[in-house]
């Protein structure tokens, strides 16, 4: 069975004859012999559709998903419950298009879904303008850094080491080819060292970047950090946030953020082994002409009816590359639609309930895990739904023992923070039951 290469022998023979060739070997004769595989691939022969389907099902069963495991892993991607209506709406065929809705006359439905998504993100963050989404949280943060550099015409950007390590690596990748200098600020007891941050402030700083809650789940003293960041009037304050946490915590808009970004996966998008996800971005009005990507605006047509269009396009990739605010050229429309449906279905009260349940269950788990003294807090700070636990047992061994009991353990912090040896970052969402948390604690207590 060749589902993607339907050419038969006669087809290949005819194509070769058009090229004046007699064999496939002759077609590839320009490839040196020493780099060619001069034998047949060690794979079985073609299968029928029925045989192939059976084989693929058998292979897929080798993977374990969160349907098979009880998930206590977070670190940027979260196992929140997705109401069935989300998939029902985004499964409608009219939303399955990669077409950019340039022609407003035939794209009102697509444009309105994006407009509603932008409005919901603005409401959630208490910011003035949101774009039509970006690839993911890390990309959104990198684009916010580029915005700050472009707006201030400065080249130094401060980022706390409590920001997601992968996000910081993406920042450095963007910065490397733009001549931007990334200045990392150390942490103390799991939060940004504000004294060091203050000492690094200067007239060259374009932006200060923090995470809220930070990578360790700690709720930082954002008001204090914001004061330091804005001690220079031109410096922009950028926050990367967990959108679910905003159901419970004070909004970035009220905390003085100039730019808010984040990963939108937890808003109605499944984990999917790592993607596709979506990045969201919202800014104060003064920065809207510097935003990357697309923005949908509301207007009226010639008959006075409410309608929607792509707006402020002169700032993006339609103009000369070097003049554009950004060359990012896509939004995650279907993922953004899932996020919009999720936020609409839950509403303010629903998102607050999800946040409260995650908060309460995480603190219940934390209390039980640390009660016996076998495991201890890595940091003594307030947290939301993630917390770091240190142990005298090898962290990989702990996760292996948990996996044997069909539990997906937490994130091993030592991979990115060598000083956090045998420390695991656990996450508890509203989906975890008391029984599941009790079982986690029981297994942890039994590990020697």
């Amino acid at each position: 069975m060749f589902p993607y290469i339907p050419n038969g022998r006669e087809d290949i023979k005819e194509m070769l004859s058009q090229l004046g060739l007699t064999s496939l070997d002759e077609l590839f004769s320009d490839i040196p012999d020493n780099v060619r595989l001069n034998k047949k691939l060690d794979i079985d022969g073609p299968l029928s559709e029925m045989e192939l389907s059976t084989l693929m099902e058998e292979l897929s069963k080798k993977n374990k998903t969160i349907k098979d495991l009880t998930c206590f892993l977070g670190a940027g991607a979260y196992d929140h419950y997705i109401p069935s209506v989300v998939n029902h709406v985004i499964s409608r065929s009219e939303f399955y298009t990669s077409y950019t809705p340039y022609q407003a006359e035939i794209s009102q439905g697509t444009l309105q879904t994006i407009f509603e998504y932008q409005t919901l993100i603005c409401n959630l963050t208490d910011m003035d303008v949101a774009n039509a989404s970006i690839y993911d949280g890390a990309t959104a943060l990198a684009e916010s850094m580029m915005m700050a550099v472009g707006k201030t015409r400065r080249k130094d950007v401060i980022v706390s080491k409590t920001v997601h390590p992968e996000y910081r690596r993406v920042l450095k990748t963007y910065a490397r080819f733009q001549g931007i200098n990334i200045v990392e600020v150390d942490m103390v007891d799991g939060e940004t060292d504000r004294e060091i941050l203050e000492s690094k402030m200067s007239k060259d700083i374009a932006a200060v970047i923090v995470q809220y809650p930070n990578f360790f789940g700690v709720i930082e003293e954002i008001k204090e950090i914001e004061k330091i960041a804005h001690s220079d009037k031109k410096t922009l304050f950028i926050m990367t946030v967990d959108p679910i946490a905003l159901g419970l915590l004070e909004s970035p808009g009220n905390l003085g953020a100039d730019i808010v970004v984040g990963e939108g996966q937890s808003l109605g998008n499944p984990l999917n082994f790592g993607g596709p996800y979506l990045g969201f971005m919202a800014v104060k009005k003064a920065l809207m002409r510097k935003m990357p990507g697309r923005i949908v605006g509301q207007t009226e047509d010639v008959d006075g009816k409410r309608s929607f269009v792509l707006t402020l396009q002169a700032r993006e990739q339609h103009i000369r590359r070097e003049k554009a605010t950004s060359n990012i050229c896509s939004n995650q429309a279907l993922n953004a639609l899932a996020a919009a449906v999720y936020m609409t279905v839950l509403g303010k009260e629903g998102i607050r309930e999800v946040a409260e349940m995650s908060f309460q269950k995480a603190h219940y788990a934390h209390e039980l895990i640390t009660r016996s003294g076998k495991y201890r807090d890595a940091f003594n700070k307030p947290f939301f739904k993630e917390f770091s636990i240190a142990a005298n047992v090898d962290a990989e061994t702990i996760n292996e023992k948990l996996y044997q009991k069909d539990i997906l353990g937490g994130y091993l912090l030592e991979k990115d923070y060598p000083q956090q040896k045998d420390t695991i970052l656990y996450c508890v969402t509203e989906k975890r039951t008391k029984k599941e948390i009790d079982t986690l604690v029981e297994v942890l207590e039994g590990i020697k």
Side-chain angles (χ1 to χ4, degrees):
M1 179 183 177
F2 297 96
Y4 301 110
I5 309 174
N7 304 318
R9 290 177 182 174
E10 290 302 317
D11 298 315
I12 295 172
K13 185 177 179 181
E14 183 176 346
M15 286 188 284
L16 288 172
S17 70
Q18 290 291 324
L19 297 172
L21 303 173
T22 58
S23 69
L24 284 173
D25 286 338
E26 196 175 348
L27 177 64
F28 298 121
S29 60
D30 289 338
I31 300 174
D33 281 343
N34 62 339
V35 297
R36 294 174 66 175
L37 183 66
N38 293 309
K39 61 180 181 180
K40 290 190 175 181
L41 291 172
D42 184 19
I43 56 175
D44 296 331
L47 301 175
S48 68
E49 181 176 324
M50 185 172 67
E51 292 170 328
L52 181 62
S53 297
T54 302
L55 174 64
M56 295 307 292
E57 285 177 8
E58 290 175 353
L59 290 174
S60 69
K61 289 176 182 175
K62 292 184 177 181
N63 290 324
K64 280 197 172 184
T65 72
I66 54 170
K67 291 181 180 177
D68 309 305
L69 302 167
T70 305
C71 180
F72 289 94
L73 178 63
Y78 300 104
D79 181 25
H80 286 290
Y81 180 72
I82 301 173
S84 60
V85 67
V86 174
N87 283 335
H88 178 76
V89 173
I90 69 170
S91 297
R92 293 180 65 93
S93 60
E94 54 265 45
F95 294 124
Y96 287 173
T97 175
S98 58
Y99 172 71
T100 301
Y102 292 121
Q103 292 173 274
E105 298 88 342
I106 61 170
S107 307
Q108 284 302 292
T110 302
L111 288 164
Q112 181 172 358
T113 61
I114 295 174
F115 179 82
E116 303 294 356
Y117 161 81
Q118 292 172 179
T119 304
L120 289 161
I121 290 295
C122 288
N123 291 341
L124 188 65
T125 57
D126 265 331
M127 302 295 280
D128 297 327
V129 184
N131 69 10
S133 80
I134 309 175
Y135 301 135
D136 54 26
T139 313
L141 185 60
E143 290 287 340
S144 72
M145 173 188 71
M146 299 291 289
M147 276 182 66
V149 168
K151 176 68 176 179
T152 62
R153 299 182 183 277
R154 296 174 174 178
K155 288 289 189 178
D156 290 357
V157 173
I158 292 177
V159 58
S160 171
K161 286 186 178 178
T162 63
V163 171
H164 196 306
E166 293 173 0
Y167 286 26
R168 284 187 281 127
R169 285 199 283 273
V170 173
L171 285 179
K172 291 172 185 173
T173 300
Y174 269 62
R176 179 182 174 189
F177 299 103
Q178 298 291 334
I180 299 170
N181 180 36
I182 300 289
V183 181
E184 292 193 330
V185 173
D186 283 326
M187 62 181 191
V188 55
D189 198 17
E191 65 178 6
T192 306
D193 190 321
R194 296 193 291 278
E195 288 186 10
I196 294 179
L197 171 61
E198 195 163 14
S199 71
K200 293 186 180 297
M201 290 298 298
S202 74
K203 297 292 183 184
D204 298 322
I205 303 301
V208 172
I209 299 173
V210 295
Q211 186 170 340
Y212 176 66
N214 71 23
F215 182 65
F216 307 109
V218 172
I219 304 167
E220 300 223 23
E221 295 287 348
I222 295 296
K223 288 184 178 178
E224 297 298 319
I225 296 174
E226 184 270 336
K227 286 180 185 174
I228 297 171
H230 283 152
S231 59
D232 182 278
K233 290 184 179 178
K234 283 188 67 176
T235 301
L236 299 182
F237 182 43
I238 300 174
M239 294 175 66
T240 174
V241 304
D242 175 354
I244 294 296
L246 300 185
L248 197 59
L249 304 180
E250 191 162 0
S251 70
N254 285 336
L255 290 169
D258 298 297
I259 305 173
V260 181
V261 296
E263 173 53 64
Q265 173 271 323
S266 54
L267 300 172
N269 285 266
L271 290 168
N272 278 348
F273 293 101
Y277 293 167
L278 75 150
F280 61 87
M281 174 182 284
V283 303
K284 295 295 186 186
K285 189 175 180 180
L287 293 168
M288 69 178 180
R289 291 182 181 277
K290 296 292 183 182
M291 289 188 89
R294 309 222 163 86
I295 300 174
V296 174
Q298 178 178 288
T299 185
E300 291 183 353
D301 65 12
V302 293
D303 299 319
K305 295 178 181 175
R306 185 190 187 211
S307 55
F308 306 91
V309 293
L310 287 177
T311 189
L312 300 176
Q313 294 185 74
R315 69 201 158 75
E316 57 162 336
Q317 72 271 16
H318 304 292
I319 61 177
R320 283 183 297 169
R321 181 182 178 87
E322 65 275 14
K323 295 288 185 183
T325 55
S326 169
N327 297 115
I328 198 165
C329 59
S330 184
N331 70 79
Q332 305 292 87
L334 196 62
N335 301 82
L337 175 62
V341 176
Y342 179 87
M343 288 187 279
T344 303
V345 169
L346 267 67
K348 288 182 180 178
E349 289 303 316
I351 292 178
R352 182 177 180 84
E353 285 180 19
V354 171
E356 285 181 341
M357 289 175 68
S358 300
F359 177 87
Q360 291 167 1
K361 291 184 176 184
H363 283 72
Y364 172 73
H366 170 267
E367 182 182 347
L368 262 60
I369 291 173
T370 56
R371 179 178 290 175
S372 70
K374 182 175 182 178
Y375 300 95
R376 62 189 183 281
D377 273 322
F379 312 116
N380 183 26
K381 294 293 177 183
F383 63 89
F384 175 52
K385 66 183 179 190
E386 291 178 279
F387 51 92
S388 305
I389 296 295
N392 295 324
V393 183
D394 176 64
E396 289 191 9
T397 300
I398 291 174
N399 272 358
E400 287 172 7
K401 296 289 184 183
L402 291 174
Y403 191 75
Q404 290 170 8
K405 298 292 184 181
D406 289 333
I407 296 172
L408 186 59
Y411 186 84
L412 307 186
L413 288 177
E414 191 177 350
K415 290 192 291 186
D416 300 292
Y417 301 89
Q419 69 274 30
Q420 303 301 326
K421 184 172 174 54
D422 294 329
T423 303
I424 297 178
L425 178 67
Y426 292 96
C427 175
V428 185
T429 69
E430 83 285 2
K431 283 182 67 176
R432 299 287 70 83
T433 64
K434 180 178 183 297
K435 183 180 179 181
E436 290 172 338
I437 295 171
D438 291 345
T439 300
L440 168 71
V441 176
E442 183 182 333
V443 176
L444 286 173
E445 284 298 315
I447 296 174
K448 298 179 180 177

